């Protein structure tokens, strides 16, 4: 059997779950036994949530790429590892076997070594969704360099912040990226970012769009030229660096309730075991199946469920460069048809947007290969759930609504495809090894069913974050200080009469816009950079397609003469500071914000107004100036 730790029945789920709670170390040791270790661990787990200090597989030595590549060569050398579908359906797709991928990763790992990259160095990766992105990620892991992938939609300023925070010494990018009808000039954005990044010594540029770029002598190198050099050296092998179980594997920046994104740190062994276990079990992956996750590698979903989870399992993973709506809204269904996809893992925002195009783009697509469907990133509304189930899964495919976070490394609460029951809108039950708990404001556990509370996790799991890069105290205060001895997720959650979990959304000042996490403070900071802005307050409001939209209340310096022009300027500022994903959907100019006497903005009131709920604003008597509320109500968009 390919995966001895794969759950095959409801009874096995219950059994494994019980064991994972009674004997977590024994449970995870059993799973970890099925990987390739240079040296096995001395101790499975050491932990405290106080500092926090969490170590899995203590003393173990390994390299994650030996588990994703080398160990499959004997049996799966000619099996497709990555099937790549380009943005333009007219361009040819690429099939990269495990042997091809192994060779390319080793080759590029040698390029990195030739350019002075050593174990522990940070490498920033800013590329489009091409196979070379996966190759770059794995090449870093091969030599023990820490990758920090930055999503291609982020601005030069955001990249500069992330590079400085990580003190990256090398950047890997492309000339440009194709996404739908757009051509994103990645290298030119990097050039702008690097003005403020003295730590970066080298930039490797992969050719994709042939957009003209300016190459800086002594700093910038072409990917293709560097590969040729390695070929001239006779393509030497690239032995994998021996990593400690707790050596850093990657940093991934994510938004929180403050203005500054945090560098979430994942380490080698725990992350690998967790990404693999959750992939194999949630999707019930069977050898030979074709699996397609539509996420971008710039987000955690791409890290865990396009690259590390599937490849460590020897799976065939489809990587798509483009967007679901280009050249038409049938693109995901065409890809499913073309590659006989068995599992499709996507986001509610994509489903909702595709629903809007009706069934035309679905009709005449052969979706009979589909066996399993998945959803991730935000709560899925019942309408979208049923549309996905009926029109894409044709009523035959289980849907796994997977709840997890950048910080958790992998899926935490989810149905197991075809095995545990599903319920529209519910992430249902925790995977084995995951111990959720609901607490009230004071941190008291809320027991029983039919209850609501803040979602915490009370025991470590191998995929959890270990720290936030360069600032361990921030990791402690953000996740481990709200409630004693618990990891706090930041999500609100309902446990229904059957004990099923339904995530209700963030309880902090973090927005989820089309599945992208954005801090309100981050957007406010960006808006406030605009010369004409005095102050701003940003809240989320329900949006039919994006899940949440961004609503900004803005105080301008002087009377706004042409509000439309001023709004355009503000949008451009946000785009430049963060990136287009953070652009407010609505901007309202106001003369004041509802503040308490101590100067705190009462967001609760602004949220209600943004939602269109003008009555029931609750107690406004503590406001410094209750009149501003009426003015804001009158001016609502
Ligand atoms: C994987 C990912 C994490 C936040 C999380 C939630 C929300 C994610 C679901 C969900 C309801 C889901 N990582 N979230 N999945 N809410 N149901 N199935 O998205 O770090 O970018 O975001 O996303 O609020 O805290 S993330």
């Amino acid at each position: 059997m390919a995966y001895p730790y794969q759950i095959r029945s409801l009874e096995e789920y219950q059994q494994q779950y019980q064991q994972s709670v009674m004997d977590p170390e024994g449970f995870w040791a059993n799973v970890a036994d099925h990987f390739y270790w240079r040296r096995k661990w001395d101790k499975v787990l050491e932990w405290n949530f106080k500092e926090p200090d969490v170590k899995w597989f203590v003393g173990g030595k390994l390299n994650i790429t030996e588990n994703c590549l080398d160990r499959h060569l004997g049996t799966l050398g000619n099996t497709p590892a990555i099937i790549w579908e380009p943005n333009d359906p007219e361009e040819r797709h690429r099939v990269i076997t495990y042997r091809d991928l192994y060779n390319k990763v080793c080759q590029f790992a040698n390029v990195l070594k030739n350019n002075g990259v050593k174990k522990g160095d940070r490498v920033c990766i800013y590329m489009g969704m091409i196979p070379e992105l996966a190759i770059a990620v794995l090449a870093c892991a091969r030599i023990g360099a820490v990758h920090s992938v930055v999503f291609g939609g982020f601005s030069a300023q955001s990249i500069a912040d992330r590079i400085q925070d990580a003190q990256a010494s090398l950047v890997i990018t492309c000339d440009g990226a194709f996404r739908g009808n757009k051509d994103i000039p990645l290298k030119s954005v990097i050039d702008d970012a690097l003005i403020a990044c003295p730590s970066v010594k080298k930039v490797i540029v992969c050719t994709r769009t042939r957009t003209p770029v300016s190459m800086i002598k002594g700093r910038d190198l072409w990917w293709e030229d560097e590969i040729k050099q390695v070929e001239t050296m006779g393509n030497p092998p690239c032995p994998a660096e021996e990593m400690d179980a707790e050596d850093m594997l990657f940093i991934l920046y994510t938004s929180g309730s403050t203005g500054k994104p945090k560098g979430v740190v994942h380490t080698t062994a725990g992350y690998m075991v967790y990404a693999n276990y959750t992939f194999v079990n949630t999707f019930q992956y069977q050898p030979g199946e074709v699996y397609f996750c539509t996420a971008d590698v710039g987000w955690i979903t791409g890290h865990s469920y396009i690259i590390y989870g599937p490849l460590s399992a020897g799976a065939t993973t489809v990587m798509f460069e483009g967007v679901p709506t280009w050249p038409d809204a049938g693109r995901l269904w065409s890809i499913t048809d073309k590659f006989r996809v068995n599992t499709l893992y996507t986001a509610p925002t994509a489903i909702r947007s595709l629903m809007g195009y009706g069934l035309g783009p679905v009709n005449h697509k052969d979706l009979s290969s589909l066996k399993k469907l998945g959803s991730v990133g935000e709560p899925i509304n019942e309408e979208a759930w049923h549309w996905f189930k009926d029109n894409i899964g044709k009523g035959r495919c289980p849907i796994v609504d997977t709840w997890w976070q950048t910080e958790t490394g992998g899926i935490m609460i989810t149905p197991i495809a075809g095995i545990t029951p599903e319920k529209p809108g519910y992430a249902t039950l925790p995977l084995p090894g995951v111990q959720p708990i609901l607490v009230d404001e004071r941190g008291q556990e809320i027991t029983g069913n039919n209850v609501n509370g803040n979602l915490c996790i009370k025991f470590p799991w191998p995929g959890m974050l270990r720290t936030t890069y360069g600032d361990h105290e921030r990791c402690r205060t953000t996740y481990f200080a709200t409630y004693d001895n618990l990891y706090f997720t930041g999500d609100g959650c309902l446990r229904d009469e059957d004990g099923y979990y339904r995530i209700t959304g963030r309880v902090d000042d973090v927005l989820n816009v089309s599945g992208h996490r954005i801090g309100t403070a981050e957007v406010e900071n960006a808006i406030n950079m605009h010369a004409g802005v005095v102050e701003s307050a940003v809240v989320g409001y329900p949006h039919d397609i994006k899940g949440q939209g961004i609503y900004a209340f803005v105080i301008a310096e002087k009377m706004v003469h042409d509000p439309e022009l001023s709004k355009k300027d503000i949008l451009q500022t946000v785009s430049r500071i963060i990136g287009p994903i953070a652009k407010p959907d609505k901007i309202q100019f106001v003369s004041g914000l509802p503040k308490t006497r101590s100067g705190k903005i009462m967001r609760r009131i602004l949220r209600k107004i943004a939602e269109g709920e003008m009555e029931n604003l609750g107690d406004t008597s503590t406001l410094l100036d209750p009149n501003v509320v009426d003015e804001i109500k009158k001016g609502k968009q």
Side-chain angles (χ1 to χ4, degrees):
M1 192 182 145
Y3 315 107
Y5 45 86
Q6 192 171 49
I7 297 162
R8 284 167 303 178
S9 66
L10 190 55
E11 293 68 48
E12 268 187 32
Y13 163 72
Q14 277 152 353
Q15 217 180 305
Q16 274 205 29
Y17 192 83
Q18 289 306 323
Q19 198 221 335
S20 79
V21 173
M22 287 182 326
D23 177 19
E25 298 195 29
F27 173 79
W28 286 112
N30 268 335
V31 177
D33 252 328
H34 300 282
F35 292 78
Y36 174 68
W37 298 83
R38 294 276 186 92
R39 178 182 187 275
K40 283 246 165 114
W41 55 91
D42 301 312
K43 192 152 184 277
V44 178
L45 172 65
E46 275 176 13
W47 72 287
N48 76 72
F49 277 179
K50 274 254 126 16
E51 296 178 48
D53 183 17
V54 176
K55 294 191 185 86
W56 282 92
F57 309 112
V58 182
K61 304 282 176 195
L62 73 161
N63 185 291
I64 195 168
T65 70
E66 287 188 326
N67 284 276
C68 289
L69 302 169
D70 306 55
R71 71 162 168 162
H72 300 316
L73 294 181
T75 48
L76 301 171
N78 298 321
T79 300
I82 297 176
I83 299 177
W84 176 74
E85 171 69 10
N87 180 60
D88 182 350
E90 305 283 297
E91 190 182 333
R92 270 175 55 132
H93 70 270
R94 286 167 65 184
V95 177
I96 297 164
T97 65
Y98 272 94
R99 177 159 304 284
D100 296 336
L101 188 59
Y102 167 82
N103 288 330
K104 286 178 186 298
V105 167
C106 289
Q107 224 178 17
F108 192 67
N110 279 325
V111 167
L112 293 176
K113 278 205 246 175
N114 288 345
N115 284 287
V117 180
K118 300 212 160 52
K119 178 177 174 180
D121 291 352
R122 275 79 56 220
V123 172
C124 172
I125 303 179
Y126 185 67
M127 301 170 81
M129 285 283 288
I130 57 175
E132 285 68 21
L133 165 53
I135 292 164
V137 162
L138 292 165
C140 287
R142 184 108 187 142
I143 63 170
V146 176
H147 55 77
S148 165
V149 181
V150 176
F151 174 62
F154 279 116
S155 68
Q157 181 64 54
S158 294
I159 301 164
D161 292 344
R162 286 158 175 73
I163 289 176
Q164 286 166 359
D165 188 81
Q167 286 294 299
S169 58
L170 186 140
V171 173
I172 309 169
T173 189
C174 298
D175 47 358
F178 295 125
R179 266 175 74 82
N181 55 14
K182 290 200 197 70
D183 178 344
I184 303 153
L186 298 177
K187 172 61 164 64
S188 141
V189 177
I190 286 292
D191 289 339
D192 289 346
L194 293 191
I195 293 168
C197 299
S199 65
V200 174
K201 305 295 177 229
K202 295 266 171 76
V203 179
I204 300 179
V205 186
C206 182
T207 307
R208 173 60 185 136
T209 57
R210 306 199 170 266
T211 315
V213 296
S214 78
M215 298 291 279
I216 290 182
K217 203 183 282 173
R219 187 193 75 179
D220 300 350
L221 306 159
W222 288 106
W223 174 297
E224 296 75 11
D225 292 346
E226 294 302 298
I227 293 288
K228 274 195 205 110
Q229 283 219 19
V230 173
E231 281 166 353
T232 321
M233 292 158 61
N235 263 325
C238 182
E241 184 78 26
E242 185 168 291
M243 304 294 281
D244 187 86
E246 283 298 336
D247 276 338
M248 211 181 293
L249 175 63
F250 67 85
I251 306 172
L252 187 59
Y253 285 85
T254 192
S255 296
S257 44
T258 67
K260 193 177 167 244
K262 296 178 285 270
V264 169
V265 170
H266 286 288
T267 57
T268 305
Y271 173 82
M272 170 187 79
V273 168
Y274 199 70
N276 177 285
Y277 178 83
T278 53
F279 170 74
V280 161
N281 279 293
T282 306
F283 301 106
Q284 287 291 300
Y285 186 82
Q286 304 303 325
E289 284 187 347
V290 177
Y291 160 91
F292 177 21
C293 166
T294 68
D296 192 288
V297 170
W299 309 111
I300 189 70
T301 305
H303 282 62
S304 301
Y305 300 111
I306 294 179
I307 299 183
Y308 288 117
L311 296 180
S312 66
T316 296
T317 176
V318 176
M319 186 176 183
F320 173 40
E321 183 181 36
V323 297
T325 48
W326 194 86
D328 61 60
R331 195 67 201 280
L332 298 185
W333 326 133
S334 304
I335 296 171
T336 300
D337 189 342
K338 181 172 175 186
F339 300 121
R340 309 296 300 149
V341 168
N342 302 115
T343 298
L344 177 65
Y345 188 31
T346 191
T349 188
I351 298 168
R352 286 192 299 264
S353 116
L354 297 175
M355 272 167 70
Y357 293 85
L359 291 177
V362 185
N363 292 336
H364 312 297
K365 302 284 161 65
D366 182 358
L367 302 183
S368 62
S369 58
L370 280 177
K371 293 194 239 173
K372 291 156 269 191
L373 302 174
S375 166
V376 62
E378 48 174 324
I380 180 165
N381 50 308
E382 285 200 34
E383 194 193 356
W385 193 95
H386 285 291
W387 189 87
F388 200 31
K389 182 91 178 178
D390 299 342
N391 299 302
I392 305 308
K394 314 290 182 192
R396 308 177 279 101
C397 304
I399 299 180
V400 292
D401 175 357
T402 62
W403 174 83
W404 59 294
Q405 308 177 296
T406 304
E407 294 85 347
T408 69
I411 299 168
M412 300 286 279
I413 304 182
T414 181
I416 295 176
I419 290 181
T420 56
E422 58 191 22
K423 196 177 206 173
Y426 283 75
T428 72
L429 297 172
L431 286 175
V434 176
Q435 301 188 34
I437 155 173
L438 301 184
V439 298
D440 66 18
E441 246 65 289
R442 290 165 306 140
Q444 290 298 312
E445 174 163 11
I446 304 171
T447 54
N449 288 343
N450 247 323
V451 290
N452 235 304
N454 288 344
L455 178 61
C456 295
I457 311 290
K458 66 177 174 199
F459 195 85
W461 63 101
M464 68 185 291
L465 86 163
R466 300 299 194 267
T467 188
T468 46
Y469 192 79
D471 193 350
H472 192 61
E473 179 58 10
R474 191 157 176 219
C475 173
R476 191 185 68 79
T477 53
T478 312
Y479 306 105
F480 298 92
T482 318
Y483 306 113
D484 248 11
N485 251 323
L486 297 175
Y487 166 81
F488 177 43
T489 65
D491 281 320
C493 182
L494 171 99
R495 187 167 51 223
D496 77 355
E497 60 278 6
D498 301 319
Y500 292 175
Y501 292 87
R502 177 193 178 101
I503 313 303
T504 50
R506 304 289 303 195
V507 295
D508 52 10
D509 291 319
V510 174
L511 305 180
N512 192 324
V513 180
S514 300
H516 303 323
R517 256 169 83 169
I518 300 169
T520 54
E522 242 179 299
V523 183
E524 287 164 6
N525 288 348
I527 294 174
N528 298 349
M529 302 248 180
H530 188 275
V533 171
V534 178
E535 198 183 0
S536 63
V538 165
V539 296
Y541 71 96
H543 187 287
D544 283 349
I545 290 170
K546 299 180 176 185
Q548 269 188 313
I550 305 180
Y551 197 120
F553 298 91
V554 177
I555 306 178
E557 207 159 68
K558 15 186 205 290
M559 257 280 288
V560 180
H561 287 298
D562 184 343
E564 287 320 305
L565 202 65
S566 303
K567 284 178 192 174
K568 264 205 193 126
D569 286 351
I570 290 173
L571 292 183
Q572 208 186 12
T573 306
V574 175
S575 250
R576 284 190 105 109
I577 302 295
I578 306 176
I581 56 170
K583 280 200 283 193
D585 299 274
K586 293 182 179 173
I587 297 175
Q588 180 182 344
F589 290 107
V590 296
S591 64
L593 292 167
K595 287 191 180 173
T596 61
R597 276 173 243 277
S598 59
K600 258 188 83 159
I601 297 174
M602 291 190 75
R603 289 164 184 287
R604 179 175 51 83
I605 293 176
L606 294 175
R607 264 196 294 268
K608 287 229 165 131
I609 296 176
E611 282 167 18
E613 215 193 294
M614 301 298 199
E615 321 306 318
N616 304 325
L617 290 183
D619 185 12
T620 53
S621 63
T622 54
L623 286 180
L624 193 60
D625 175 11
N627 293 328
V628 298
V629 175
D630 289 323
E631 184 220 294
I632 296 174
K633 280 194 333 199
K634 283 203 200 89
K636 186 188 180 270
Q637 303 265 296

